[in-house]
Amino acid sequence: MYKLVRCTRPTQRFRACLHGGPDKDNFQIGPKSNLDPELEKQIENDKQRLQWRTPYSERPDSFYSAFKLFASENRNSELVEKMQQPINFAPSAILEWWQKRQANVEAHMQKYIPERHATLGDDIATAHFIVHRGGSVRFRGDTNWIKMDDDDQYDLPRHHVPGMVLEEVRCDGMKLFYEAMENIQKLLRLKHLSFENVTLFDDWYLDRISGNTLPSLEKLNLRGTAITHRGLNCLHRLPSLKLLLVDAPEKDIFWKLTVSMLEEWNPNLRVVASE
Protein backbone atom coordinates (compact mmCIF):
# COMPACT_ATOMS: atom_id res chain seq x y z
CA MET A 1 0.00 0.00 0.00
CA TYR A 2 1.21 3.43 -0.83
CA LYS A 3 0.16 6.64 0.85
CA LEU A 4 -0.21 9.73 -1.23
CA VAL A 5 1.33 12.84 0.31
CA ARG A 6 0.57 16.27 -1.04
CA CYS A 7 3.67 18.32 -1.70
CA THR A 8 3.30 22.07 -1.98
CA ARG A 9 5.65 23.88 -4.29
CA PRO A 10 7.70 26.72 -2.81
CA THR A 11 6.67 30.21 -3.63
CA GLN A 12 8.53 32.24 -6.19
CA ARG A 13 10.22 34.45 -3.53
CA PHE A 14 11.34 31.53 -1.37
CA ARG A 15 12.64 29.61 -4.39
CA ALA A 16 14.66 32.66 -5.43
CA CYS A 17 16.25 32.81 -2.00
CA LEU A 18 17.16 29.12 -2.10
CA HIS A 19 18.72 29.19 -5.54
CA GLY A 20 20.22 32.66 -5.49
CA GLY A 21 17.82 34.84 -7.42
CA PRO A 22 17.73 38.60 -7.84
CA ASP A 23 16.15 39.08 -4.40
CA LYS A 24 18.94 37.23 -2.56
CA ASP A 25 20.79 40.29 -1.27
CA ASN A 26 17.65 42.22 -0.38
CA PHE A 27 15.98 39.47 1.63
CA GLN A 28 16.03 40.33 5.35
CA ILE A 29 15.22 38.03 8.24
CA GLY A 30 13.47 39.58 11.21
CA PRO A 31 12.00 43.03 11.69
CA LYS A 32 13.65 45.89 9.92
CA SER A 33 15.16 48.66 12.05
CA ASN A 34 13.60 52.03 11.34
CA LEU A 35 15.48 54.02 14.00
CA ASP A 36 16.53 57.54 13.28
CA PRO A 37 20.32 57.86 12.70
CA GLU A 38 20.57 60.44 15.47
CA LEU A 39 18.80 58.07 17.87
CA GLU A 40 21.14 55.21 16.93
CA LYS A 41 24.12 57.47 17.58
CA GLN A 42 22.71 58.43 20.98
CA ILE A 43 22.23 54.76 21.89
CA GLU A 44 25.86 53.98 21.01
CA ASN A 45 27.05 56.93 23.10
CA ASP A 46 24.99 55.70 26.05
CA LYS A 47 26.56 52.24 25.74
CA GLN A 48 30.03 53.76 25.86
CA ARG A 49 29.10 55.92 28.84
CA LEU A 50 27.67 53.00 30.80
CA GLN A 51 30.79 50.86 30.50
CA TRP A 52 31.85 49.99 34.03
CA ARG A 53 35.59 49.96 33.35
CA THR A 54 37.90 51.88 31.05
CA PRO A 55 40.79 49.77 29.67
CA TYR A 56 44.08 50.70 31.31
CA SER A 57 45.72 51.42 27.96
CA GLU A 58 42.99 53.96 27.11
CA ARG A 59 43.22 55.99 30.31
CA PRO A 60 44.64 59.47 29.73
CA ASP A 61 46.97 59.25 32.75
CA SER A 62 48.45 55.86 31.88
CA PHE A 63 51.91 55.30 30.43
CA TYR A 64 51.92 54.34 26.75
CA SER A 65 54.53 51.64 26.44
CA ALA A 66 56.36 50.94 23.19
CA PHE A 67 55.64 47.25 23.79
CA LYS A 68 51.89 47.77 24.20
CA LEU A 69 51.10 46.11 20.87
CA PHE A 70 52.35 42.78 22.19
CA ALA A 71 50.20 42.84 25.34
CA SER A 72 47.03 40.80 25.53
CA GLU A 73 43.82 42.73 26.17
CA ASN A 74 41.63 39.69 26.81
CA ARG A 75 42.78 37.19 29.42
CA ASN A 76 39.59 35.13 29.55
CA SER A 77 41.21 32.31 27.59
CA GLU A 78 43.88 31.92 30.28
CA LEU A 79 41.22 31.65 32.99
CA VAL A 80 39.29 29.03 31.03
CA GLU A 81 42.50 27.09 30.42
CA LYS A 82 43.30 27.04 34.14
CA MET A 83 39.79 25.90 35.03
CA GLN A 84 40.07 22.98 32.62
CA GLN A 85 43.33 21.73 34.08
CA PRO A 86 43.22 19.10 36.83
CA ILE A 87 44.26 20.10 40.33
CA ASN A 88 47.77 18.94 41.12
CA PHE A 89 48.45 18.23 44.79
CA ALA A 90 52.05 17.17 44.29
CA PRO A 91 54.49 18.87 46.70
CA SER A 92 56.37 20.50 43.83
CA ALA A 93 53.14 21.89 42.36
CA ILE A 94 52.03 23.25 45.74
CA LEU A 95 55.43 24.88 46.22
CA GLU A 96 55.25 26.45 42.76
CA TRP A 97 51.74 27.75 43.48
CA TRP A 98 52.89 29.25 46.78
CA GLN A 99 55.89 30.95 45.17
CA LYS A 100 53.69 32.47 42.45
CA ARG A 101 51.24 33.67 45.06
CA GLN A 102 54.01 35.28 47.10
CA ALA A 103 55.37 36.95 43.97
CA ASN A 104 51.93 38.34 43.11
CA VAL A 105 51.54 39.72 46.63
CA GLU A 106 54.99 41.32 46.55
CA ALA A 107 54.36 42.81 43.11
CA HIS A 108 51.11 44.30 44.41
CA MET A 109 52.95 45.83 47.37
CA GLN A 110 55.38 47.53 44.99
CA LYS A 111 52.70 49.40 43.08
CA TYR A 112 52.82 53.15 42.75
CA ILE A 113 50.96 55.04 45.51
CA PRO A 114 50.03 58.57 44.37
CA GLU A 115 49.28 59.71 47.93
CA ARG A 116 52.84 58.92 49.04
CA HIS A 117 54.37 61.01 46.27
CA ALA A 118 51.88 63.83 46.84
CA THR A 119 52.74 63.94 50.56
CA LEU A 120 56.52 63.44 50.50
CA GLY A 121 57.44 64.68 47.05
CA ASP A 122 58.90 62.52 44.30
CA ASP A 123 62.49 62.53 45.62
CA ILE A 124 61.79 61.55 49.23
CA ALA A 125 59.00 59.14 48.23
CA THR A 126 61.36 57.30 45.87
CA ALA A 127 64.03 57.22 48.58
CA HIS A 128 61.60 55.61 51.04
CA PHE A 129 60.55 53.03 48.46
CA ILE A 130 64.12 52.02 47.58
CA VAL A 131 65.66 52.04 51.08
CA HIS A 132 62.74 50.15 52.62
CA ARG A 133 63.41 47.27 50.19
CA GLY A 134 67.14 47.03 50.70
CA GLY A 135 68.53 49.65 48.34
CA SER A 136 70.49 52.80 49.05
CA VAL A 137 70.23 56.45 48.02
CA ARG A 138 72.27 59.62 48.23
CA PHE A 139 71.00 63.18 48.27
CA ARG A 140 72.74 66.21 46.83
CA GLY A 141 75.29 67.78 49.16
CA ASP A 142 75.59 64.62 51.28
CA THR A 143 78.48 62.18 50.97
CA ASN A 144 76.80 59.47 53.04
CA TRP A 145 74.57 56.81 51.53
CA ILE A 146 71.26 56.17 53.27
CA LYS A 147 70.34 52.51 53.73
CA MET A 148 68.80 50.22 56.33
CA ASP A 149 70.86 49.15 59.32
CA ASP A 150 70.92 45.75 60.99
CA ASP A 151 67.66 46.56 62.78
CA ASP A 152 65.91 47.49 59.51
CA GLN A 153 65.91 51.16 60.50
CA TYR A 154 66.89 54.12 58.34
CA ASP A 155 66.93 57.89 58.65
CA LEU A 156 64.63 59.59 56.15
CA PRO A 157 62.17 62.45 56.72
CA ARG A 158 58.50 61.55 57.11
CA HIS A 159 57.27 64.72 55.44
CA HIS A 160 58.17 66.89 52.48
CA VAL A 161 61.43 68.80 52.91
CA PRO A 162 62.08 71.48 50.29
CA GLY A 163 65.57 71.37 48.84
CA MET A 164 66.20 67.63 49.31
CA VAL A 165 67.25 66.47 45.86
CA LEU A 166 67.83 62.80 45.13
CA GLU A 167 71.03 62.44 43.12
CA GLU A 168 71.97 58.73 43.18
CA VAL A 169 69.92 55.55 43.53
CA ARG A 170 71.28 52.02 43.88
CA CYS A 171 68.90 49.10 43.46
CA ASP A 172 71.69 46.51 43.26
CA GLY A 173 70.55 42.97 44.02
CA MET A 174 66.98 43.98 44.85
CA LYS A 175 63.95 41.92 43.87
CA LEU A 176 61.98 44.45 41.90
CA PHE A 177 58.91 43.77 39.83
CA TYR A 178 57.65 45.72 36.84
CA GLU A 179 55.13 47.51 39.05
CA ALA A 180 57.99 49.05 41.03
CA MET A 181 59.36 50.97 38.05
CA GLU A 182 56.59 53.55 38.29
CA ASN A 183 57.89 54.64 41.70
CA ILE A 184 61.14 55.88 40.14
CA GLN A 185 59.73 58.81 38.23
CA LYS A 186 59.90 62.60 37.89
CA LEU A 187 63.36 62.74 39.47
CA LEU A 188 64.42 65.83 37.61
CA ARG A 189 67.96 65.96 39.05
CA LEU A 190 68.79 62.27 39.39
CA LYS A 191 72.23 61.60 37.89
CA HIS A 192 73.12 57.98 38.70
CA LEU A 193 70.82 54.95 38.66
CA SER A 194 71.95 51.36 39.14
CA PHE A 195 70.05 48.08 38.65
CA GLU A 196 73.07 45.80 38.86
CA ASN A 197 72.19 42.14 39.51
CA VAL A 198 68.44 42.79 39.44
CA THR A 199 67.71 39.52 37.66
CA LEU A 200 64.08 40.32 36.81
CA PHE A 201 65.03 43.55 35.04
CA ASP A 202 64.42 43.07 31.30
CA ASP A 203 63.50 45.09 28.23
CA TRP A 204 60.03 45.86 29.57
CA TYR A 205 61.54 47.36 32.73
CA LEU A 206 63.96 49.47 30.71
CA ASP A 207 61.15 50.70 28.49
CA ARG A 208 59.24 51.79 31.59
CA ILE A 209 62.21 53.47 33.26
CA SER A 210 63.24 55.38 30.14
CA GLY A 211 59.82 57.05 30.00
CA ASN A 212 59.73 58.13 33.66
CA THR A 213 60.93 61.72 33.15
CA LEU A 214 64.61 61.48 34.12
CA PRO A 215 66.07 64.38 32.12
CA SER A 216 69.34 64.67 34.10
CA LEU A 217 70.29 60.98 34.26
CA GLU A 218 73.95 60.60 33.27
CA LYS A 219 74.88 57.08 34.39
CA LEU A 220 72.83 53.89 34.10
CA ASN A 221 74.11 50.53 35.32
CA LEU A 222 72.41 47.48 33.78
CA ARG A 223 75.01 44.80 34.47
CA GLY A 224 73.64 41.48 35.64
CA THR A 225 70.17 42.13 34.24
CA ALA A 226 68.15 40.31 31.57
CA ILE A 227 68.09 43.08 28.97
CA THR A 228 68.74 42.41 25.29
CA HIS A 229 69.91 44.62 22.45
CA ARG A 230 66.26 45.35 21.61
CA GLY A 231 65.68 47.11 24.91
CA LEU A 232 68.50 49.58 24.30
CA ASN A 233 66.41 51.31 21.64
CA CYS A 234 64.38 52.93 24.43
CA LEU A 235 67.37 54.91 25.70
CA HIS A 236 66.82 57.73 23.22
CA ARG A 237 64.38 59.09 25.82
CA LEU A 238 67.29 59.89 28.16
CA PRO A 239 68.93 62.93 26.55
CA SER A 240 71.63 63.47 29.21
CA LEU A 241 72.88 59.87 29.38
CA LYS A 242 76.69 59.70 29.24
CA LEU A 243 77.61 56.26 30.59
CA LEU A 244 75.79 52.95 30.11
CA LEU A 245 77.15 49.85 31.81
CA VAL A 246 76.15 46.47 30.34
CA ASP A 247 77.63 42.98 30.56
CA ALA A 248 78.90 42.58 27.01
CA PRO A 249 78.36 45.49 24.61
CA GLU A 250 80.12 43.54 21.84
CA LYS A 251 78.41 40.20 22.42
CA ASP A 252 77.26 39.80 18.82
CA ILE A 253 76.53 41.78 15.69
CA PHE A 254 73.13 42.90 16.97
CA TRP A 255 74.63 44.40 20.12
CA LYS A 256 77.37 46.11 18.14
CA LEU A 257 74.87 47.61 15.71
CA THR A 258 72.56 48.85 18.48
CA VAL A 259 75.44 50.34 20.46
CA SER A 260 76.79 52.12 17.39
CA MET A 261 73.34 53.57 16.68
CA LEU A 262 73.07 54.86 20.25
CA GLU A 263 76.52 56.42 20.13
CA GLU A 264 75.71 58.02 16.80
CA TRP A 265 72.52 59.49 18.25
CA ASN A 266 74.33 60.72 21.37
CA PRO A 267 78.05 61.39 20.76
CA ASN A 268 78.61 61.90 24.52
CA LEU A 269 77.37 58.40 25.37
CA ARG A 270 79.78 55.56 26.18
CA VAL A 271 78.50 51.98 26.32
CA VAL A 272 81.04 49.84 28.19
CA ALA A 273 81.26 46.80 30.44
CA SER A 274 83.20 48.55 33.22
CA GLU A 275 84.07 52.10 34.15
Side-chain angles (χ1 to χ4, degrees):
M1 297 292 295
Y2 296 93
K3 184 178 180 180
L4 297 177
V5 179
R6 183 180 179 183
C7 180
T8 58
R9 301 181 62 184
T11 61
Q12 184 69 20
R13 180 178 180 84
F14 185 65
R15 185 166 60 250
C17 294
L18 291 177
H19 299 285
D23 296 334
K24 179 180 179 181
D25 297 333
N26 298 329
F27 183 70
Q28 181 177 356
I29 299 176
K32 183 178 180 181
S33 176
N34 295 321
L35 294 179
D36 184 77
E38 292 295 330
L39 183 58
E40 290 183 348
K41 183 178 179 180
Q42 183 178 356
I43 292 175
E44 291 298 325
N45 292 337
D46 290 340
K47 289 181 180 179
Q48 295 292 333
R49 181 174 55 84
L50 294 175
Q51 283 186 351
W52 70 274
R53 177 180 179 272
T54 302
Y56 185 80
S57 59
E58 296 179 5
R59 298 178 185 176
D61 57 342
S62 64
F63 175 79
Y64 190 92
S65 172
F67 299 95
K68 174 187 172 184
L69 297 177
F70 302 97
S72 175
E73 297 182 358
N74 187 1
R75 305 178 64 89
N76 293 335
S77 59
E78 298 180 6
L79 178 60
V80 173
E81 182 181 357
K82 289 182 179 179
M83 294 177 62
Q84 292 176 346
Q85 293 177 355
I87 300 177
N88 189 355
F89 290 103
S92 58
I94 296 176
L95 178 61
E96 182 181 0
W97 168 82
W98 177 254
Q99 291 175 347
K100 288 183 178 179
R101 183 180 182 276
Q102 291 296 103
N104 291 335
V105 171
E106 193 169 352
H108 179 76
M109 296 299 295
Q110 293 185 8
K111 285 187 175 181
Y112 173 75
I113 302 177
E115 293 79 8
R116 176 170 56 196
H117 283 250
T119 303
L120 301 175
D122 294 314
D123 293 81
I124 300 179
T126 301
H128 272 280
F129 178 85
I130 297 299
V131 175
H132 181 72
R133 289 163 177 81
S136 57
V137 299
R138 187 183 67 81
F139 288 88
R140 175 180 292 180
D142 192 356
T143 58
N144 297 323
W145 287 82
I146 300 176
K147 57 183 179 180
M148 284 196 303
D149 56 19
D150 296 336
D151 298 326
D152 294 341
Q153 301 294 325
Y154 54 90
D155 184 17
L156 278 175
R158 304 290 178 175
H159 55 84
H160 176 63
V161 178
M164 290 194 68
V165 177
L166 195 60
E167 200 167 63
E168 295 190 48
V169 173
R170 289 180 182 172
C171 306
D172 301 350
M174 295 175 58
K175 187 177 182 180
L176 295 177
F177 294 88
Y178 179 82
E179 289 78 1
M181 298 299 102
E182 195 173 359
N183 292 277
I184 309 174
Q185 65 167 303
K186 298 179 182 178
L187 304 177
L188 303 181
R189 296 174 179 83
L190 182 68
K191 291 186 176 181
H192 298 170
L193 180 59
S194 176
F195 292 101
E196 187 169 355
N197 295 326
V198 180
T199 56
L200 296 177
F201 195 99
D202 57 9
D203 295 342
W204 295 82
Y205 286 59
L206 186 58
D207 172 60
R208 188 67 180 89
I209 280 292
S210 62
N212 279 2
T213 315
L214 305 174
S216 302
L217 187 63
E218 298 179 356
K219 176 182 175 182
L220 181 60
N221 186 354
L222 301 177
R223 291 179 298 189
T225 62
I227 64 166
T228 66
H229 66 278
R230 299 181 182 89
L232 298 183
N233 294 314
C234 305
L235 296 179
H236 70 275
R237 301 171 181 163
L238 303 175
S240 302
L241 192 62
K242 296 180 180 179
L243 180 62
L244 176 63
L245 298 176
V246 294
D247 290 325
E250 298 183 357
K251 180 187 302 184
D252 51 36
I253 186 62
F254 301 106
W255 273 87
K256 293 180 181 179
L257 179 60
T258 306
V259 169
S260 63
M261 291 175 60
L262 283 175
E263 292 177 344
E264 181 180 2
W265 162 75
N266 184 0
N268 298 323
L269 175 62
R270 293 190 304 116
V271 183
V272 294
S274 60
E275 298 185 53

